Amino acid sequence: MQYQLGKTAKRSVFFAIVAIAVLSSLYMGMNRSVSAAEPPTVRYALTFSLLDEVSVGALQYVVHYTAPGRFVGDRNDVACESLLDEPVRATFKNDSHSSALRSGWYSPVGFDGPVDLAECIFEARAGQAVFSQQFVVEVKLISALSASGGHPFPRVTVTKVRQGAGPQDRIVGRGVGTPAG
């Protein structure tokens, strides 16, 4: 014995299946957006500085970080800004997978230290502190035009960590182990 559905019954079954598919995809989408919600974050402005009295033509360094978070942006699109005037050229490249920020500097006429080099934005989860000691700068290459101060490689470090992004930011740490002030 075979049953045959009438036109109205076929439409009802079809619309029921479509309704179930639409509702289930909406439900799954709502659950995905709720579970994938990003936790609240706090942004920090980090200042990188060349500490020694040196005249530099070219400089490359890598920042290895253990701070809980990441630099804003990835690859060549990282949120870093040179604090030096022209004709100094600066490049920044963030590799968040290896927790490393690479930076390169070049000037045909040179630039003198000590000097603040760059400010970069670092983002951490709210409630997790960020300190300058969590950023280790390894100088890879330097073309020094002249040097004094007795260091074989001029030192680059994070000298300021400011919470937020405005000029009235609260300083929460300084490089080289000195207390915030």
Side-chain angles (χ1 to χ4, degrees):
M1 178 187 270
Q2 287 186 334
Y3 294 100
Q4 288 192 351
L5 295 175
K7 249 186 193 179
T8 307
K10 285 182 182 177
R11 274 192 223 143
S12 297
V13 169
F14 173 76
F15 286 119
I17 291 171
V18 169
I20 289 170
V22 168
L23 289 175
S24 80
S25 75
L26 284 174
Y27 176 75
M28 295 303 283
M30 287 180 357
N31 280 347
R32 253 183 263 135
S33 65
V34 170
S35 63
E38 293 291 322
T41 59
V42 176
R43 288 192 172 187
Y44 295 85
L46 307 180
T47 302
F48 291 90
S49 301
L50 175 62
L51 298 179
D52 298 303
E53 288 186 34
V54 62
S55 184
V56 176
L59 171 68
Q60 288 181 1
Y61 59 84
V62 177
V63 181
H64 304 280
Y65 54 95
T66 59
R70 65 179 192 80
F71 283 96
V72 173
D74 208 7
R75 311 298 290 157
N76 295 333
D77 206 20
V78 64
C80 289
E81 179 181 2
S82 171
L83 300 177
L84 299 177
D85 295 326
E86 295 288 332
V88 177
R89 300 277 188 228
T91 61
F92 304 93
K93 185 175 184 180
N94 184 34
D95 183 356
S96 57
H97 296 294
S98 65
S99 299
L101 173 71
R102 289 170 174 68
S103 182
W105 301 82
Y106 167 75
S107 174
V109 297
F111 59 92
D112 296 326
V115 65
D116 290 342
L117 296 170
E119 184 172 88
C120 297
I121 306 300
F122 190 84
E123 189 172 64
R125 288 189 177 159
Q128 294 184 327
V130 172
F131 299 101
S132 59
Q133 293 81 0
Q134 296 169 313
F135 301 87
V136 177
V137 180
E138 177 185 6
V139 175
K140 292 290 200 175
L141 173 105
I142 187 155
S143 172
L145 305 175
S146 69
S148 64
H151 295 285
F153 257 5
R155 297 167 296 161
V156 176
T157 190
V158 174
T159 53
K160 295 179 199 152
V161 178
R162 292 185 319 275
Q163 187 174 340
Q168 68 278 17
D169 299 335
R170 180 174 61 91
I171 294 177
V172 295
R174 293 188 185 272
V176 201
T178 58

